[in-house]
Amino acid sequence: MPVPDTGNLIEDLVQYTTSLWRFWASHPAGAALRGLIAEAQAPEALSALRDRFLPDRTADVRKIMTDAAKRGELRAEEVEDKVSLWVGFSWFKLLVAELHEEKAIRSVMMHRHYGLLVNNSGGLTASR
């Protein structure tokens, strides 16, 4: 999956998340991930998911957010929490079969929990 680099956190997250959701919806990998998440309710599987699967699968989003922190769009100490929020949102949509609800992506990515707000002139401001 290509990692966008538009110079704007929200645009990067919207483009990346939309592409990923479309991939999950159209490829057996989506159903496999759903099964893997369900299987992770067992302690051994949860450990494998957390330690071996998640680091690789979250690397792209972590890079998007780390790059945004370097540009001042969010604080560096927020990156890991923001990655967790993104994973939770995306996996929830996968699990409840709502990947087709792409309109939700932009509004959620713009929510203050992702560290950004739209200012009165339509630009972005960091929330602190």
Side-chain angles (χ1 to χ4, degrees):
M1 184 93 29
V3 179
D5 186 10
T6 66
N8 178 289
L9 175 58
I10 290 174
E11 287 308 314
D12 289 348
L13 288 172
V14 168
Q15 287 180 24
Y16 183 80
T17 305
T18 301
S19 294
L20 183 63
W21 287 16
R22 288 177 181 172
F23 173 74
W24 284 346
S26 66
H27 193 276
L33 178 56
R34 210 172 19 254
L36 183 63
I37 295 167
E39 187 68 28
Q41 305 314 300
E44 322 73 52
L46 176 59
S47 178
L49 177 78
R50 182 184 53 242
D51 300 336
R52 291 189 301 236
F53 183 81
L54 268 177
D56 287 343
R57 298 315 180 281
T58 58
D60 291 344
V61 170
R62 186 171 288 101
K63 178 183 180 346
I64 290 169
M65 294 201 191
T66 300
D67 290 350
K70 290 175 186 173
R71 293 189 303 266
E73 292 183 81
L74 62 113
R75 296 187 309 262
E77 63 269 14
E78 296 177 310
V79 168
E80 290 306 313
D81 289 338
K82 306 298 185 198
V83 170
S84 295
L85 286 169
W86 181 88
V87 169
F89 171 64
S90 291
W91 284 15
F92 175 78
K93 292 298 192 179
L94 172 68
L95 290 171
V96 299
E98 292 181 354
L99 295 174
H100 61 282
E101 295 185 5
E102 293 178 9
K103 291 185 297 184
I105 295 170
R106 182 170 299 279
S107 65
V108 169
M109 296 305 126
M110 290 180 69
H111 195 275
R112 75 174 307 146
H113 292 293
Y114 279 93
L116 298 174
L117 297 171
V118 175
N119 65 28
N120 291 337
S121 63
L124 300 176
T125 59
S127 67
R128 307 248 177 199

